[in-house]
C-alpha cells in the first residue's frame, strides 16, 4: 500500500512561538521530525504541510518537500486532510506531529502494519502505558481505554478508568495517527460532535460517529515539545544518546 506521511507545521504557536523552527540538538524541530520519519522503510513519501514560506524554505534547504496550506485551516488534522486530498495515489496517510521529535520506525511502522493487515481498520494510533503517576491527573495527557481486541472505547483528559477498586492500569495516546485516505477525507467533512467539543479531542468524533479505532501498544515514550522546559528535557535526552554512542 502506498503510504504518505504528512507533518503539519504551523508557524504560529501560543506556548512556544515559531515552534517548528526552534533549534533542538543542532537542527530545526521540523527537520528533526522529518529525519526521523525518513528512517521508516514503509513510508513512500513525506510532505511538510505548512502555512509559512519560512518553514517551507527550511524544509527545502534540508532536501524535503513542503506543501503550502491555507492559513484558514483550523487544525493539524485539517492540514493533513488538505494534503491527502491532493494525493489520490496514497492509500495510507500518516499524521506525524511536528512537536514529536522522538518518533521513529518502531512507532510508525506498526501503525501502517495494523492497516495493511486488517481491511476493517480505518484508523490506528498508539497507546503507551502510563508509568508517571502525575500524568494520570494531567489534562494535557490524553488517557484512553480499549477493549481486548485493541479497539478504542474512549479518550479523555480525565483519569480513566476510575479506580473504584485497586488494579487500574492507565494508558495514554502519543505520537502519530495512521488513516486510510478515504476515511480521513470523510472524517474531515464531518461536523464536530458533542463529546469532541467538550473534551477537545478529535478522536471522539470518530467514536461518536460509530467507527472503530485500532489501538497499537508501544513501549517507548516520547517528549512532546510545547514549552521551553520540554526543549530542555529533550536536549538532555539527546546529550545522553550522544554520550552512549561515543
Amino acid at each position: 500500500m502506498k503510504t504518505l506521511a504528512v507533518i503539519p507545521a504551523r508557524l504560529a504557536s501560543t506556548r512556544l512561538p515559531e515552534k517548528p523552527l526552534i533549534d533542538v540538538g543542532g537542527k530545526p524541530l521540523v527537520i528533526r521530525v522529518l529525519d526521523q520519519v525518513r528512517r521508516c522503510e514503509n513510508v513512500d513519501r513525506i510532505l511538510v504541510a505548512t502555512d509559512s514560506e519560512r518553514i517551507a524554505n527550511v524544509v527545502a534547504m534540508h532536501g524535503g518537500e513542503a506543501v503550502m496550506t491555507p492559513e484558514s485551516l483550523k487544525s493539524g488534522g485539517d492540514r493533513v486532510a488538505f494534503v491527502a486530498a491532493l494525493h489520490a495515489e496514497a492509500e495510507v496517510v500518516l499524521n506525524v506531529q511536528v512537536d514529536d521529535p522522538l518518533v521513529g520506525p518502531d512507532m510508525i511502522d506498526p501503525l501502517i502494519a495494523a492497516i495493511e493487515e486488517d481491511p476493517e481498520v480505518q484508523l490506528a494510533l498508539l497507546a503507551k502505558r502510563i508509568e508517571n503517576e502525575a500524568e494520570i491527573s494531567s489534562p494535557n495527557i490524553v488517557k484512553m481505554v480499549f477493549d481486548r481486541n485493541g479497539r478504542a472505547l474512549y479518550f479523555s483528559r480525565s483519569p480513566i478508568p476510575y479506580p473504584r477498586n485497586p488494579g487500574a492500569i492507565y494508558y495514554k495516546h502519543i505520537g502519530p495517527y495512521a488513516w486510510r485516505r478515504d476515511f480521513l477525507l470523510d472524517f474531515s467533512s464531518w461536523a464536530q460532535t458533542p463529546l469532541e467539543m467538550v473534551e477537545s479531542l478529535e478522536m471522539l468524533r470518530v467514536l461518536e460517529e460509530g467507527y472503530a479505532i485500532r489501538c497499537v501498544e508501544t513501549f517507548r515514550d516520547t517528549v512532546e515539545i510545547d514549552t521551553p522546559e520540554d526543549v530542555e528535557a529533550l536536549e538532555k535526552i539527546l546529550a545522553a544518546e550522544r554520550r552512549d554512542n561515543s
Side-chain angles (χ1 to χ4, degrees), residues 17-233:
E18 300 187 354
K19 178 166 63 174
L21 298 179
I22 286 178
D23 183 280
V24 180
K27 294 181 183 179
L29 180 60
V30 64
I31 302 305
R32 185 164 291 279
V33 176
L34 176 63
D35 286 346
Q36 288 293 94
V37 182
R38 282 170 167 161
R39 297 172 54 219
C40 301
E41 295 181 0
N42 294 323
V43 173
D44 298 297
R45 190 174 183 183
I46 310 168
L47 296 172
V48 175
T50 184
D51 58 1
S52 165
E53 290 284 356
R54 288 176 59 198
I55 293 175
N57 290 337
V58 168
V59 170
M61 287 173 55
H62 288 82
E65 292 185 86
V67 177
M68 298 302 299
T69 58
E71 292 184 8
S72 59
L73 296 178
K74 295 180 180 180
S75 70
D78 290 329
R79 276 180 281 280
V80 173
F82 178 89
V83 174
L86 303 176
H87 292 275
E89 76 281 3
E91 298 167 88
V92 177
V93 178
L94 287 157
N95 180 346
V96 183
Q97 311 301 314
V98 76
D99 57 9
D100 191 9
L102 296 182
V103 69
D106 60 326
M107 293 180 170
I108 289 176
D109 289 342
L111 296 180
I112 298 172
I115 290 182
E116 290 181 335
E117 294 169 3
D118 188 344
E120 294 186 2
V121 176
Q122 302 293 322
L123 168 61
L125 49 76
L126 295 173
K128 169 69 174 65
R129 185 167 176 170
I130 293 177
E131 298 172 358
N132 179 353
E133 288 191 8
E135 293 185 335
I136 296 173
S137 58
S138 171
N140 296 320
I141 301 296
V142 178
K143 274 69 68 176
M144 57 196 298
V145 288
F146 44 88
D147 69 17
R148 292 182 177 182
N149 294 312
R151 291 173 299 197
L153 297 172
Y154 196 68
F155 299 84
S156 182
R157 298 185 183 278
S158 297
I160 52 173
Y162 178 79
R164 173 74 183 204
N165 296 305
I169 297 174
Y170 294 91
Y171 286 85
K172 62 181 176 179
H173 166 230
I174 64 170
Y177 313 101
W179 302 79
R180 288 191 188 273
R181 174 181 177 272
D182 291 345
F183 185 71
L184 170 60
L185 297 182
D186 286 343
F187 168 83
S188 67
S189 71
W190 300 339
Q192 286 188 306
T193 49
L195 291 173
E196 175 192 6
M197 290 188 286
V198 168
E199 294 255 21
S200 190
L201 295 175
E202 284 185 329
M203 293 304 96
L204 291 176
R205 190 188 318 174
V206 177
L207 298 184
E208 287 184 86
E209 292 290 351
Y211 294 93
I213 299 174
R214 174 63 57 81
C215 303
V216 178
E217 187 170 3
T218 184
F219 299 94
R220 183 169 66 85
D221 212 341
T222 187
V223 175
E224 294 184 0
I225 305 300
D226 288 314
T227 67
E229 290 75 20
D230 296 332
V231 176
E232 182 179 348

